[in-house]
C-alpha cells in the first residue's frame, strides 16, 4: 500500500526473502480471497507488477473523497494525442500533429507533466525527440502491457480497401508533398 508504482514479484521476493514463485502464489491467493470476500479493495496485476486498487463498485465514493474539487479528466485533445502516442510509439510531436491535423505541443506538455508520456530518444534522421507511454499510463488504463491495447480497426471509419502498408487514401499533412488536387483536374 505504500509503493508509488506497481511492485514486481521479484522485488517483493527479495524484500521478503522468499522465492518469486512463493510470492506469485501468495499474491494470486490474496487477490482471489479479496474478490470472494467482496472487500472494498482489490489486488491487481498491472504494468508488470502488483498494486492495490479500490474495487470498481466503490470507485465513485473514493474518487469523490480523493478528488474533492480537483479536475482529474483529460481533454478530448489530450485523449486523442495520448491515443496516437500509444498506438504509434515511439513517435515525434510532428508526427502526432500530422496524424491529428493540429499542433499538439501544448497537449504533449500536459501529458508529460502528468507522467502519461515520456521521452524515448531521438529520431536518427531528423533529431526530433520521440515519445512513448509510461508505466503510469499502463497502470491508469489497467493494462499489463501495450499488447492489451484494443484493436483500432473497429473504431475506424469504413473506407475502400487499402493495402495495410500502403499510404494510399491517407491524407498527407506534409507541406512539401505534391498537391493531389491537380491530379483530379481535367483540361477543357
Amino acid at each position: 500500500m505504500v509503493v508509488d508504482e506497481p511492485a514486481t514479484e521479484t522485488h517483493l521476493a527479495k524484500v521478503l526473502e522468499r522465492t518469486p514463485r512463493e510470492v506469485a502464489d501468495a499474491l494470486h491467493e490474496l487477490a482471489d480471497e479479496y474478490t470472494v470476500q467482496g472487500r472494498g479493495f482489490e489486488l491487481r496485476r498491472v504494468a508488470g507488477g502488483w498494486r492495490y486498487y479500490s474495487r470498481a463498485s466503490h470507485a465513485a465514493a473514493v474518487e469523490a473523497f480523493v478528488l474533492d474539487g480537483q479536475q482529474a479528466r483529460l481533454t478530448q485533445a489530450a485523449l486523442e494525442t495520448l491515443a496516437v502516442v500509444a498506438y504509434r510509439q515511439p513517435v515525434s510531436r510532428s508526427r502526432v500533429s500530422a496524424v491529428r491535423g493540429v499542433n499538439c505541443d501544448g497537449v504533449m506538455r500536459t501529458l508529460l507533466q502528468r507522467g502519461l508520456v515520456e521521452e524515448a530518444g531521438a529520431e536518427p534522421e531528423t533529431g526530433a525527440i520521440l515519445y512513448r507511454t509510461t508505466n503510469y499510463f499502463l497502470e491508469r488504463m489497467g493494462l499489463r502491457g501495450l499488447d492489451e491495447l484494443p484493436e483500432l480497426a473497429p473504431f475506424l471509419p469504413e473506407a475502400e480497401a487499402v493495402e495495410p502498408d500502403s499510404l494510399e487514401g491517407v491524407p498527407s499533412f506534409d507541406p512539401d508533398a505534391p498537391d493531389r488536387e491537380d491530379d483530379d483536374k481535367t483540361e477543357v
Side-chain angles (χ1 to χ4, degrees):
M1 292 186 182
V2 296
V3 298
D4 57 353
E5 58 185 44
T8 66
E9 293 167 3
T10 305
H11 182 252
L12 290 170
K14 181 180 173 187
V15 170
L16 298 171
E17 298 177 353
R18 302 282 187 212
T19 67
R21 185 76 221 151
E22 287 175 306
V23 170
D25 290 344
L27 289 167
H28 285 284
E29 190 176 315
L30 278 172
D32 292 343
E33 184 179 318
Y34 297 153
T35 300
V36 168
Q37 293 174 350
R39 300 252 180 129
F41 57 88
E42 61 186 339
L43 182 59
R44 267 195 262 163
R45 182 173 175 79
V46 292
W50 290 82
R51 186 161 200 171
Y52 281 102
Y53 287 89
S54 301
R55 190 158 305 279
S57 58
H58 297 67
V62 172
E63 183 178 24
F65 178 77
V66 171
L67 298 179
D68 189 29
Q70 296 179 12
Q71 177 67 354
R73 305 218 184 274
L74 291 174
T75 64
Q76 184 68 30
L79 290 171
E80 290 171 7
T81 301
L82 189 55
V84 173
V85 173
Y87 282 97
R88 298 199 121 186
Q89 62 186 307
V91 63
S92 66
R93 284 185 191 201
S94 62
R95 175 53 57 197
V96 174
S97 293
V99 170
R100 289 198 57 235
V102 295
N103 184 305
C104 70
D105 291 349
V107 175
M108 286 293 284
R109 277 191 297 277
T110 299
L111 296 174
L112 281 162
Q113 289 171 344
R114 291 194 180 190
L116 295 166
V117 299
E118 65 186 1
E119 291 184 9
E123 197 170 70
E125 300 85 29
T126 65
I129 297 172
L130 297 173
Y131 297 90
R132 66 176 171 227
T133 55
T134 62
N135 276 342
Y136 180 63
F137 164 79
L138 293 174
E139 184 182 337
R140 297 297 296 164
M141 297 300 292
L143 303 172
R144 293 181 191 169
L146 293 173
D147 57 328
E148 289 187 350
L149 283 170
E151 292 293 322
L152 277 178
F155 302 105
L156 297 175
E158 291 190 35
E160 296 177 25
V162 175
E163 293 297 317
D165 293 332
S166 167
L167 294 179
E168 180 184 334
V170 177
S172 172
F173 295 101
D174 182 358
D176 299 326
D179 187 5
R180 301 193 116 239
E181 290 180 19
D182 293 339
D183 296 344
D184 296 333
K185 294 180 182 169
T186 316
E187 287 190 29
V188 181

